[in-house]
Structure formats: C-alpha cells, structure tokens
Amino acid sequence: MSSATEDRAAFHLLGHPLPALIDLASTSGTTVDLFTLSLRQPILLFLYPSTASPLRATPAAWPTIRGASGCTPHLTTVNAHLPTLLAKEPELHIFGLSTQSHAEQLEAKTRLGLKFELLSDEAGLLREALDIPCFEVEGRRYFRRMTLLLRGGQITRVDYPVERVEEAGKRAEGLLRSEQELMEEVEARDAAAAAAAAKAQAEAQA
C-alpha cells in the first residue's frame, strides 16, 4: 500500500456509527462499551500500535515499519496534555486503545505513570467492526496511530495519520476546538432560522 493510500485509509471512519455491545477491557479493572458511553459523554480515543513490553518481545522488523515506533512518547505527551484537554471539555473521557493484551497495558500504564485508562481490543472486535487501519507483523495486527472523537454513538472527528507523536496532544486540542466551532455554527444557524421564522410569522399576522 502506498503512503498516499495509507493516508486515506481512515476516511470512512468520519461519521461512522459505533458498534454496540463490544466490551473492551480497561486498565481501570472494568470494561468499556464505547457506544453506550459516548451517548452520555464525549470520548477522545488515542489509537496506538504497541508500547514496548517486558511481557513480549518486540518484533525484529518494528523499527522499519512506518508509524510503529514512538508509542511511549505518544502516550506520555497525551498524559501531559490531560489538563488542557479536560479544561476544554470537562466531561470528556480520554482513553488509549491498542490491540495489546490487558496485562501488557496494565504494565505500561503503571510504568509510564499514565493518568488515563488504556483499552484492549486484543480480540479485534472493534477493529473488525470499524475496519480500523492496521498493519500486521509476525501474525499480529496493530492499529495505525490516530485520534478519534466519539460523541452520540458515532465518530465525529478523525485525525489520521498522526506521525509526529509529540504533537498528538496538541492536535487533539484542535479536534475539540474544531468540533466546538462546528457546534457553535450549527446553533447560530438554528437560532437565526428560528428568528427569521418568528419574524415572518409576526409579519403575516400583522
């Protein structure tokens, strides 16, 4: 697959409804159904391939794969941006998501001191339901790096590909800002339409 084709591999995700009844293991010790949770509160989802883990050897080809390396700085920069992201949207849920095992994610969360939870799609149920861009190494599939904003049971914003991991947190702020601006535009348009309708009705009754 060419780089240009890869860069378009997530176009279909924008506006895509989330699948229901997929429970992802969380480092919080519970499971998370993204569809159900997004109906109540917005979710910022950071997808990453795989952190290095003492529980499993890193594939030999890893350094040669575009976008594979850099998961530790990716997660730590998100961690550093948590206060800013939550200031923009206080009810926001923030998760990291990978195809790593729950045990590997628990180790990474503890070792990196992450203040947000990691979700495991080790079984590939979410990946298959959404056709999430992946790459395969030694028989295992890994997510391409991206950020998704989930709201109201669907994917409302997509940032893909995220190649400069140190910019992931800042780019996520942009996702929130762009969505807020869009919502404000819709509200302003609806208010203007309602005002115009009320004026027309008043003139008709005069």
Side-chain angles (χ1 to χ4, degrees), residues 160-175:
Y160 175 84
V162 177
E163 296 185 325
R164 297 178 64 87
V165 295
E166 68 276 9
E167 296 178 356
K170 195 70 175 178
R171 289 172 61 145
E173 293 177 29
L175 282 187

Side-chain angles (χ1 to χ4, degrees), residues 59-134:
W62 199 256
T64 68
I65 300 170
R66 179 191 179 199
S69 299
C71 293
T72 292
H74 182 191
L75 295 179
T76 54
T77 193
V78 171
N79 207 46
H81 276 80
L82 288 182
T84 304
L85 294 170
L86 292 172
K88 288 182 176 296
E89 187 119 21
E91 294 188 349
L92 187 69
H93 278 280
I94 298 173
F95 298 109
L97 174 70
S98 76
T99 58
Q100 287 182 277
S101 70
H102 179 59
E104 289 175 61
Q105 290 185 334
L106 280 172
E107 185 280 329
K109 182 177 187 291
T110 301
R111 173 169 48 86
L112 300 177
L114 302 179
K115 295 180 175 60
F116 60 98
E117 305 300 338
L118 304 179
L119 305 179
S120 173
D121 187 33
E122 186 178 16
L125 298 179
L126 189 67
R127 171 180 56 78
E128 292 178 1
L130 293 175
D131 191 20
I132 297 173
C134 294

Side-chain angles (χ1 to χ4, degrees), residues 16-31:
H16 199 297
L18 294 167
L21 304 178
I22 293 181
D23 292 321
L24 303 172
S26 168
T27 48
S28 67
T30 62
T31 60

Side-chain angles (χ1 to χ4, degrees), residues 11-62:
F11 278 12
H12 68 285
L13 293 175
L14 184 60
H16 199 297
L18 294 167
L21 304 178
I22 293 181
D23 292 321
L24 303 172
S26 168
T27 48
S28 67
T30 62
T31 60
V32 173
D33 178 343
L34 293 173
F35 170 77
T36 301
L37 182 58
S38 74
L39 295 177
R40 300 193 302 267
Q41 293 172 282
I43 300 170
L44 198 56
L45 195 61
F46 293 91
L47 282 71
Y48 63 98
S50 175
T51 57
S53 172
L55 304 178
R56 180 174 52 84
T58 300
W62 199 256

